[in-house]
Amino acid sequence: VKITELSGKNIALYFSASWCGPCHQFTPELTEAYNQLSPKNDFEVVYVTTDQNEESFNDYFSKMPWLAIPFSDSETSKHLNELFDVKWIPYLVILSGNGKVLTDKGVDIISKYAAGAYPFTPERIQELEQAEERANQEQTLSSLLVSPSSNFVPVSELDGKNILLYFSAHWCPPCRAFLPKLIEAYHEIKAKDDAFEVVFISSDRDELSFQEFFSSMPWLALPYGDEQKSSLSKTFKIGGIPTVIALGPFGKTVKTDAKEILMAYGANAYPFTNEHLIEMAKEWPEKELSGTSFYCEECDFDLHPKCALVEVDKETKDEEKNCEDGSDQADKKEWICDGGKSVTKLELFSSLLMSETEAPFRPREKLLERQRFFQNIHKHTYLKGPMDKITSVAIPLGLALTCGTLIARGIYNMSHGIGKKE
């Protein structure tokens, strides 16, 4: 890194590594944004590696158009990791021209807004978020599915219908596994409400695969190679497949996690609105739910509904209610989670469902964040307690010493003829 070349520029510190799968997915996005911003001559990216050997570093860095901390300068890389508390990769910290941190959420910002987020100030990010919110409010089926160069099915045929956008591909095993479930739900929903449709958005690599996969589906599809596919993926921030987006009758987004809801509730979740799911929640947890869990932010833990909620003793609750307000609503069920919260079923699901970012299971972003941390952790893990020392050190050492003793004794006996028959 030539410091003289960085003076007065906005700097993005890119913590990454050749062994990291998510990094390989994000690097092309950052490269595209970098190439768009390079002509401004006031933005630079600096790669901070966590590779284990120089050959891997050189091979990965050769695909990058920006600068890097040399592999040999491990002290600087280590210092930057500690300074910015890097717990997972890819991680992008953006600094202003005077060295102040503008944001440490550069990966999310570049993924959402690309070069449009420049100069990455809080004011610019807020402006983009407000514009995104206005776009969501003005969103229509035409704006989503109609492109100037192609004729999709007439939008008039979809107006007034509840729509599922199904992002999938033939090469994706989870997509093929999920498809029968979606087909079953599709037929059940169509049987009770014809104002419903699914639109397949393909990520297939060739048209033959697209046609083969689509032939097994009873619904509509965006034509293979249609330019709206890229726009839709960006609009809904598609990070993986299969993904199902639920749209209302006027093209407004209802749910961005409809796949998980379909897996849990099937066709009963239709039309996927918060109000309908809250109504369904009145049967929970007596009704068995598949593939869901209760996440308590106080405990920072996921549990199955039967384990997460424990029904409070009815008589105790009656006494508490009568002491507090003299009410006699003894039949109102309440539960307590490990964090000590006491909530009714309806209150619990209202808090989870009424917010668009909170679903009746752990938010996908939190799962991905935790997954990235544990998959990409590169720091040493230290023993934390006496039981760790016993199970991780004492027992293995004891077994190793025992094996060594037996082997040594056997060699000694063989060399001295001990135990040999006359």
Side-chain angles (χ1 to χ4, degrees):
V1 176
K2 299 178 181 179
I3 300 299
T4 54
E5 296 182 8
L6 303 180
S7 179
K9 292 185 177 182
N10 287 348
I11 308 297
L13 298 177
Y14 181 36
F15 298 85
S16 181
S18 63
W19 48 262
C20 165
C23 298
H24 283 280
Q25 295 177 2
F26 175 70
T27 298
E29 298 179 29
L30 182 58
T31 301
E32 183 179 354
Y34 177 81
N35 290 335
Q36 293 178 22
L37 294 174
S38 289
K40 296 180 181 293
N41 203 34
D42 61 354
F43 176 73
E44 190 55 73
V45 176
V46 178
Y47 169 42
V48 184
T49 186
T50 53
D51 274 311
Q52 305 301 316
N53 60 75
E54 191 167 6
E55 183 181 356
S56 299
F57 165 80
N58 290 333
D59 181 59
Y60 191 40
F61 179 52
S62 66
K63 302 178 179 68
M64 301 176 181
W66 45 71
L67 305 175
I69 304 292
F71 181 82
S72 58
D73 193 0
S74 57
E75 286 299 317
T76 298
S77 297
K78 181 180 178 181
H79 173 68
L80 289 172
N81 272 274
E82 292 175 351
L83 179 64
F84 295 107
D85 194 26
V86 179
K87 291 185 172 66
W88 59 79
I89 54 176
Y91 196 76
L92 190 68
V93 179
I94 302 178
L95 309 175
S96 65
N98 57 11
K100 298 290 180 64
V101 176
L102 292 174
T103 179
D104 59 0
K105 296 179 173 59
V107 172
D108 292 334
I109 290 172
I110 293 294
S111 296
K112 283 183 180 180
Y113 309 116
Y118 181 84
F120 308 104
T121 59
E123 294 77 17
R124 176 56 179 163
I125 303 304
Q126 185 178 10
E127 180 184 340
L128 290 171
E129 289 174 346
Q130 291 173 348
E132 187 178 30
E133 185 177 349
R134 287 194 300 271
N136 289 337
Q137 293 173 353
E138 298 169 0
Q139 178 177 293
T140 64
L141 286 174
S142 296
S143 67
L144 289 174
L145 300 176
V146 176
S147 62
S149 61
S150 68
N151 292 318
F152 182 56
V153 294
V155 174
S156 58
E157 294 184 10
L158 299 178
D159 277 337
K161 291 186 177 182
N162 292 294
I163 308 293
L164 291 182
L165 300 180
Y166 176 41
F167 293 82
S168 182
H170 184 269
W171 52 260
C172 164
C175 299
R176 296 197 299 271
F178 172 67
L179 181 58
K181 179 76 173 178
L182 182 57
I183 292 175
E184 179 185 356
Y186 175 80
H187 288 306
E188 288 185 34
I189 296 171
K190 287 288 280 186
K192 61 184 179 182
D193 186 3
D194 194 53
F196 169 72
E197 194 53 75
V198 175
V199 178
F200 171 42
I201 315 293
S202 174
S203 295
D204 282 304
R205 295 161 182 154
D206 59 79
E207 190 167 3
L208 184 62
S209 298
F210 163 76
Q211 294 292 352
E212 181 182 350
F213 198 34
F214 179 50
S215 66
S216 62
M217 303 176 187
W219 45 70
L220 306 174
L222 198 69
Y224 178 77
D226 193 290
E227 62 189 44
Q228 283 299 102
K229 189 266 178 184
S230 176
S231 174
L232 287 167
S233 296
K234 189 172 182 179
T235 297
F236 296 110
K237 304 175 182 62
I238 304 300
I241 53 175
T243 296
V244 181
I245 308 294
L247 305 177
F250 302 103
K252 300 293 189 294
T253 303
V254 174
K255 282 290 179 187
T256 58
D257 52 7
K259 171 187 170 285
E260 287 79 5
I261 296 173
L262 279 165
M263 291 296 293
Y265 301 97
N268 293 327
Y270 180 79
F272 312 105
T273 60
N274 286 335
E275 294 77 12
H276 177 68
L277 293 175
I278 291 173
E279 189 67 25
M280 290 181 62
K282 294 178 180 179
E283 301 295 324
W284 193 81
E286 291 82 7
K287 181 179 179 181
E288 181 68 24
L289 300 181
S290 171
T292 63
S293 65
F294 171 69
Y295 173 63
C296 177
E297 291 188 353
E298 292 189 15
C299 306
D300 188 27
F301 209 77
D302 288 284
L303 289 175
H304 188 276
K306 288 185 177 179
C307 303
L309 300 180
V310 179
E311 187 169 354
V312 179
D313 180 72
K314 189 173 181 180
E315 293 183 1
T316 303
K317 273 296 165 185
D318 288 347
E319 293 176 2
E320 292 178 359
K321 288 286 182 182
N322 291 330
C323 288
E324 290 175 2
D325 54 18
S327 67
D328 57 356
Q329 298 175 353
D331 59 342
K332 187 176 181 180
K333 289 188 175 181
E334 298 188 58
W335 289 268
I336 291 181
C337 74
D338 290 351
K341 287 183 179 177
S342 176
V343 292
T344 64
K345 278 191 292 188
L346 192 56
E347 288 171 341
L348 170 65
F349 269 80
S350 296
S351 65
L352 290 174
L353 295 174
M354 289 309 291
S355 171
E356 185 60 31
T357 59
E358 294 290 341
F361 42 82
R362 187 163 189 177
R364 182 179 182 186
E365 291 77 10
K366 293 183 180 178
L367 288 174
L368 290 176
E369 180 179 314
R370 180 161 291 194
Q371 179 184 3
R372 283 198 296 265
F373 171 69
F374 284 109
Q375 285 184 340
N376 300 323
I377 190 168
H378 57 278
K379 297 180 180 178
H380 297 291
T381 302
Y382 298 96
L383 300 175
K384 298 177 181 177
M387 294 305 296
D388 288 334
K389 294 176 182 177
I390 293 173
T391 57
S392 301
V393 179
I395 293 176
L397 281 178
L399 291 172
L401 288 173
T402 302
C403 292
T405 302
L406 292 173
I407 293 171
R409 182 65 180 173
I411 295 173
Y412 176 82
N413 290 346
M414 291 174 63
S415 63
H416 288 76
I418 298 175
K420 185 177 181 182
K421 291 185 178 180
E422 296 296 338

